[in-house]
Amino acid sequence: MHKAFYILILLSVSLSSFGQRKDKNMEESLQQEGIDDIEALSSKDFPYIERFHQAVREKMAGNLEESKKLYKVCLEENPNDDAVYFGLGEIARDQKMKTEALRYFQKAAEIDPGNIFYTQEVAYIQYEKADFEDAIPNFKKLTEHEPRNIDWLYGYGQVLVYSKNYKEAIATFNKLQDQVGIIPEIMIMKADLYQELSQDEKAEETLLQLKKEFPQNIEVLKTVIGFYEERGNQEKAIQLIKELVENEPENGVAQFILAQEYIRNENREGFLNALPSIIASP
């Protein structure tokens, strides 16, 4: 079977569901390959192609079981058709049958290891099944294929975290942030990873950088304070907020957090002194 032609048909149906996973350059490449391959088709291929077309049409109509039957008939005629395995994998995925979907996608990738779409589907299904160790080489392959794909970089970082490959996860998140800038959730995650590696100085450096970028973010400020409090350094936590209040007296968030700290430490005098500034702040 001229697989590029069949993959083209499948992609035209399924690409809209990929969301941020969609790779436009790859789609265009497959489309051109499919167009070129159409010209080489001979008449003996037409019955097989029509059956394949019908399987796609049934899937589009929501008749997943009928589509599955037609795909399996195709496999009886050609058991090495990666496009058919891909189609079956899509159906299984839509039916929430992750193990079966993974098996089909892996078979497609085995037949055509150069098709990055197959690798993508295998990686994400493995992620959803919490097969994080197995997903690592597939996400790595994706990021090597397209180093600027932020979705693949994030996915790779996540499976590295869940597999406790903390150093490599930090390096991956750094590559991600080189492209998109500082993201609070990722910076906090990096700080946690540094703590897992017993690198508290790097964790503190990361959190202070985050605070500098997002001085008005209450969750960020609470995270930095929590970092110091967990280490019994409440004075540094309060001093941090005091400095922020002095530098930005209009920062109502900082005023409010400082008041909370005074209450938590039963510092009534400090709270009463801070109260007028809290009331006056916007």
Side-chain angles (χ1 to χ4, degrees):
M1 177 179 180
H2 299 271
K3 61 184 177 185
F5 178 70
Y6 307 132
I7 295 170
L8 172 62
I9 297 170
L10 281 173
L11 289 174
S12 68
V13 177
S14 61
L15 274 172
S16 61
S17 67
F18 283 165
Q20 293 185 337
R21 293 195 240 164
K22 183 177 180 181
D23 185 329
K24 292 183 178 179
N25 292 333
M26 189 186 317
E27 177 188 356
E28 292 172 1
S29 176
L30 284 171
Q31 288 177 343
Q32 185 59 51
E33 184 180 348
I35 291 170
D36 293 341
D37 210 37
I38 288 172
E39 298 176 359
L41 293 175
S42 64
S43 59
K44 66 182 178 61
D45 296 306
F46 292 154
Y48 190 95
I49 294 172
E50 178 54 33
R51 188 180 304 113
F52 184 88
H53 284 185
Q54 186 60 34
V56 174
R57 286 193 290 268
E58 294 293 348
K59 182 177 183 298
M60 291 177 63
N63 302 323
L64 300 185
E65 291 302 322
E66 183 61 27
S67 178
K68 189 187 300 185
K69 289 178 183 178
L70 291 168
Y71 277 136
K72 289 185 176 181
V73 172
C74 290
L75 285 183
E76 291 176 3
E77 185 174 337
N78 182 3
N80 292 312
D81 191 332
D82 53 290
V84 174
Y85 285 109
F86 182 76
L88 286 168
E90 288 190 306
I91 291 174
R93 184 190 61 203
D94 292 346
Q95 294 179 325
K96 312 299 182 185
M97 301 168 65
K98 294 179 182 179
T99 300
E100 185 174 337
L102 178 60
R103 178 168 57 85
Y104 284 130
F105 286 137
Q106 285 177 323
K107 184 64 177 179
E110 178 186 328
I111 296 171
D112 186 0
N115 189 312
I116 205 68
F117 268 114
Y118 297 165
T119 303
Q120 173 183 264
E121 290 305 323
V122 171
Y124 278 104
I125 291 292
Q126 288 172 328
Y127 177 88
E128 292 171 9
K129 291 177 81 288
D131 297 336
F132 302 122
E133 291 283 353
D134 293 336
I136 286 176
N138 290 310
F139 273 108
K140 183 177 182 180
K141 181 178 179 180
L142 292 173
T143 58
E144 289 174 347
H145 176 82
E146 180 46 74
R148 297 190 62 80
N149 188 309
I150 61 175
D151 296 317
W152 292 349
L153 280 171
Y154 182 75
Y156 187 32
Q158 287 287 81
V159 296
L160 288 169
V161 169
Y162 291 133
S163 300
K164 298 186 178 182
N165 294 312
Y166 298 141
K167 288 183 179 180
E168 194 169 351
I170 291 171
T172 300
F173 288 135
N174 286 339
K175 291 178 182 178
L176 174 61
Q177 292 196 134
D178 285 344
Q179 297 186 56
V180 300
I182 293 178
I183 301 173
E185 292 78 9
I186 291 181
M187 292 291 279
I188 292 171
M189 189 184 305
K190 283 171 54 180
D192 289 341
L193 296 178
Y194 279 126
Q195 292 176 68
E196 290 291 335
L197 293 169
S198 300
Q199 296 182 20
D200 283 2
E201 289 185 4
K202 293 291 292 183
E204 181 180 14
E205 178 185 325
T206 300
L207 291 174
L208 291 179
Q209 181 185 5
L210 177 60
K211 182 188 75 67
K212 182 178 179 180
E213 290 290 328
F214 297 92
Q216 298 284 348
N217 188 311
I218 189 168
E219 293 304 321
V220 168
L221 291 173
K222 284 183 176 180
T223 299
V224 179
I225 291 170
F227 174 81
Y228 288 126
E229 288 184 334
E230 287 173 5
R231 285 150 186 77
N233 198 339
Q234 291 183 335
E235 290 184 7
K236 195 166 186 178
I238 293 177
Q239 183 59 37
L240 187 69
I241 301 303
K242 282 183 177 180
E243 290 176 5
L244 186 58
V245 169
E246 290 173 2
N247 294 331
E248 300 181 37
E250 76 285 355
N251 190 330
V253 172
Q255 298 274 8
F256 181 72
I257 293 178
L258 179 60
Q260 283 186 316
E261 288 302 306
Y262 284 138
I263 293 172
R264 191 189 338 253
N265 292 290
E266 299 181 354
N267 186 337
R268 185 172 180 273
E269 182 179 355
F271 172 75
L272 292 175
N273 288 337
L275 192 58
S277 297
I278 296 174
I279 296 173
S281 63

